Amino acid sequence: MQSATAVTTTALARRRALSAMFASLGFDTAVPSMRRAGKAATDTRLGDPTTIASVSQTLSGPPSTVAWLNRATFGCTQADLTAFTALGASDAARWTAWVSQQTSPAAISDTACDSRITSANFKALNLTPAQLWSTYHSDTVNYNHRMLPIAESECATLIRQIYSKRQLHESMIDFWHDHFSVNGWDYDGGPMFPAFDALFRATSAGNGVFGNFKNLLINVAESASMMFMLDLYSSTRAGPNENYARELCELHTLGAMNYAGVLNPFDPSLPVGTAGDGDAIRLKYVDADVYNITRALTGWTMSQSTYDTRNDLNPGTFEYVDGLHDQYDKFFLNRYLYDYEHQQDGFDVFAALACHPGVATFIATKLCRRLVSDSPSPTLVSNIASVFLQNWQAPNQLQIVTQAILNSTDFANGWGQKMKRPGVAMVSTLRALGANFTPLPDLDNPNFQANTWSTTNAVLSALQSAGHRLFYWPAPNGYPDVQIAWASSGSLGMTLRLLAMLLEMTQDQTVSASPYLADVQAQTLAAFPTAATRTAANIAGFWCTQILGYQPAGVYNAAVDFLRQNVAATAALTLTTDTWSGSNLSTHYTMSRLRSMIALILCSPDFLTR
């Protein structure tokens, strides 16, 4: 056990290193106290969108290729850079080739990631909705068994984010899960979640996150998880439920930016424009439109989800029941839906929304916000909205739109305008450190030992504490996508704690002497096989390059000073001992100090900035 003096010495050393690092990056660590003498004022500039430019100016910025790859993936690794370099003769040519390659995920071999998924022996991931319903949703006794599908989906998603070569695909799946957000741990929706996730992962023509928006919109509406999230399954002509229709307008398509309140739909002040199908359409929606969309979608339900469908076949799958549908005429966005059009009412609603100029602008804004900036330029949004609208019937509409954003000048020059959310920071860390981590759910796991705290539980709990656990957001608006939401002392503090914790975690916390998630000592020794080359200068440079893709002076110097302690930066260090040495700090807990130095790099603004 460490003595109190050792703990204090280590803590003070870390504090000095952090202060030196942030000071070297332009953060004033000598701001007058806000509350009491000796207490440093909190620097909130990363949380203030009006100061994005000034914060960006204090950071040197990575090479363009590193910046681009970091913002389009879950973290750029040295292997990624090597593969990228082989794609062309110039960075511009390589980037164009990379975007084209990554937006065709089915053509990318991903055998290593697939093997890791297979080795996890998940039970529910590939089941049909009917199988999920009969095996898990029908179990009202064993909660752990009932919720195994969402637990497996969470673990499998983490594995793919960390290890998949289809990095852009995973990034866009993450975006669309936030856009069409459901609470994965909902009692009814959780058992059906793998089928919901599969909608985004589909790579067949017209489907998935690089397919057609209207197709994705309809597929999501028909899914059990969304049906349960927003109550569409229970909406009938005798008891219409407007929950789904309202969120369809506000969150999935038109956005609050196009909401005109409770005005009469015939109010002459409401603007009218031309939709992608060439016909006139009202540009703003009002409450009357929500009510009529609700009516148009009555009868859209699930087999065996209600009294009326209790005896139907294929439980948990979409079903249209004509007897539950409001058959009379409807009017929305200045378009008529005539009597007795049956299920076509719903299809007409989705078609009108898919080609609406306001929908194009709303989706373009959210995509640009995710990939470029918290406040994307109006010109970029307008250009991307035009691409979205022009291709509204194309089977690869979303592929074309994503490519247009990634190939834009705004994206190319946009580094420093985004902050990694906690989940992205965690996955980026695991990727940069070459971690070996296959998360497995404890739920219904016969190998799980009662009263133990598994590595998976520890990681997910820490991510939950930072506010960004996968599929855990309770509201239908999805996790926030602007840095002000994640730069608070609470969320950012827990994120930094999580990143440092990953370096101390083992692959199986229930087994003594289990290997570290990331054996950074072995990697360091392998990088410097000759003892004389194991200097603070070399080691700090190596890990700055591994994690950041370059060696920014402020971070590098702080890391060197922390690692070297009382010897020269060029002096050889012993990295094979981890013992007390209060009289010579350069030999004091060197293995632990190596991990702490890497944690300092991970906690730097350079790592957290996108």
Side-chain angles (χ1 to χ4, degrees), residues 389-567:
L389 204 57
Q390 291 164 8
N391 293 279
W392 77 278
Q393 292 178 297
N396 63 334
Q397 175 195 18
L398 297 178
Q399 179 195 54
I400 296 170
V401 169
T402 305
Q403 290 174 342
I405 297 173
L406 295 177
N407 287 319
S408 68
T409 302
D410 292 66
F411 179 87
N413 300 327
W415 186 83
Q417 300 182 50
K418 295 288 293 182
M419 175 183 178
K420 289 180 182 177
R421 302 191 296 179
V424 177
M426 183 192 79
V427 174
S428 295
T429 295
L430 294 170
R431 285 175 58 77
L433 299 183
N436 184 10
F437 178 44
T438 303
L440 298 171
D442 292 340
L443 293 183
D444 205 41
N445 183 351
N447 297 319
F448 175 65
Q449 303 174 35
N451 302 317
T452 61
W453 189 243
S454 70
T455 301
T456 298
N457 259 343
V459 170
L460 297 180
S461 177
L463 191 55
Q464 184 176 338
S465 295
H468 199 208
R469 183 171 175 175
L470 281 169
F471 317 129
Y472 220 75
W473 189 255
N477 59 340
Y479 281 110
D481 207 7
V482 291
Q483 62 184 9
I484 195 171
W486 304 105
S488 70
S489 59
S491 181
L492 181 56
M494 296 307 293
T495 300
L496 299 180
R497 182 178 182 181
L498 165 61
L499 301 187
M501 183 186 76
L502 292 173
L503 284 152
E504 307 297 336
M505 295 186 70
T506 59
Q507 294 175 27
D508 188 346
Q509 294 192 161
T510 66
V511 176
S512 62
S514 174
Y516 284 107
L517 280 183
D519 192 344
V520 295
Q521 182 206 23
Q523 293 180 58
T524 305
L525 295 177
F528 303 102
T530 304
T533 61
R534 296 168 188 163
T535 66
N538 287 342
I539 294 169
F542 171 76
W543 282 108
C544 279
T545 301
Q546 288 290 109
I547 295 169
L548 305 176
Y550 71 123
Q551 298 177 21
V555 178
Y556 171 76
N557 291 334
V560 168
D561 286 343
F562 178 78
L563 189 60
R564 70 180 180 87
Q565 291 296 312
N566 61 320
V567 299

Side-chain angles (χ1 to χ4, degrees), residues 213-525:
F213 177 72
K214 185 183 75 171
N215 289 355
L216 187 58
L217 193 64
I218 294 174
N219 289 338
V220 166
E222 294 177 348
S223 69
S225 290
M226 185 59 76
M227 285 261 182
F228 282 127
M229 180 73 179
L230 296 177
D231 306 311
L232 181 57
Y233 75 99
S234 65
S235 185
T236 69
R237 65 180 183 181
N241 187 315
E242 70 175 63
N243 197 13
Y244 173 76
R246 187 164 295 280
E247 306 304 0
L248 172 67
C249 292
E250 182 178 339
L251 300 178
H252 299 171
T253 56
L254 289 157
M257 64 171 66
N258 291 303
Y259 178 52
V262 295
L263 289 178
N264 187 306
F266 297 100
D267 191 303
S269 68
L270 293 172
V272 176
T274 303
D277 60 6
D279 292 335
I281 197 164
R282 183 162 22 88
L283 300 181
K284 301 284 186 180
Y285 77 96
V286 297
D287 278 9
D289 297 309
V290 174
Y291 305 147
N292 278 286
I293 292 174
T294 300
R295 295 175 58 214
L297 293 173
T298 50
W300 287 50
T301 185
M302 275 183 299
S303 178
Q304 297 189 22
S305 64
T306 66
Y307 181 84
D308 297 285
T309 62
R310 65 192 183 281
N311 295 320
D312 295 348
L313 300 176
N314 298 315
T317 59
F318 172 75
E319 180 179 4
Y320 169 75
V321 180
D322 198 56
L324 302 177
H325 182 64
D326 182 337
Q327 302 287 2
Y328 297 105
D329 65 316
K330 305 159 189 76
F331 181 78
F332 89 109
L333 298 178
N334 287 17
R335 295 192 174 192
Y336 283 97
L337 304 178
Y338 297 101
D339 292 353
Y340 292 95
E341 292 292 330
H342 310 286
Q343 190 180 4
Q344 188 61 40
D345 281 351
F347 292 134
D348 288 345
V349 164
F350 289 121
L353 291 170
C355 67
H356 193 289
V359 174
T361 298
F362 180 62
I363 300 299
T365 300
K366 292 193 68 175
L367 283 167
C368 292
R369 183 181 298 135
R370 169 61 64 92
L371 294 170
V372 178
S373 166
D374 285 359
S375 302
S377 72
T379 300
L380 175 66
V381 171
S382 177
N383 290 342
I384 299 305
S386 295
V387 173
F388 183 96
L389 204 57
Q390 291 164 8
N391 293 279
W392 77 278
Q393 292 178 297
N396 63 334
Q397 175 195 18
L398 297 178
Q399 179 195 54
I400 296 170
V401 169
T402 305
Q403 290 174 342
I405 297 173
L406 295 177
N407 287 319
S408 68
T409 302
D410 292 66
F411 179 87
N413 300 327
W415 186 83
Q417 300 182 50
K418 295 288 293 182
M419 175 183 178
K420 289 180 182 177
R421 302 191 296 179
V424 177
M426 183 192 79
V427 174
S428 295
T429 295
L430 294 170
R431 285 175 58 77
L433 299 183
N436 184 10
F437 178 44
T438 303
L440 298 171
D442 292 340
L443 293 183
D444 205 41
N445 183 351
N447 297 319
F448 175 65
Q449 303 174 35
N451 302 317
T452 61
W453 189 243
S454 70
T455 301
T456 298
N457 259 343
V459 170
L460 297 180
S461 177
L463 191 55
Q464 184 176 338
S465 295
H468 199 208
R469 183 171 175 175
L470 281 169
F471 317 129
Y472 220 75
W473 189 255
N477 59 340
Y479 281 110
D481 207 7
V482 291
Q483 62 184 9
I484 195 171
W486 304 105
S488 70
S489 59
S491 181
L492 181 56
M494 296 307 293
T495 300
L496 299 180
R497 182 178 182 181
L498 165 61
L499 301 187
M501 183 186 76
L502 292 173
L503 284 152
E504 307 297 336
M505 295 186 70
T506 59
Q507 294 175 27
D508 188 346
Q509 294 192 161
T510 66
V511 176
S512 62
S514 174
Y516 284 107
L517 280 183
D519 192 344
V520 295
Q521 182 206 23
Q523 293 180 58
T524 305
L525 295 177

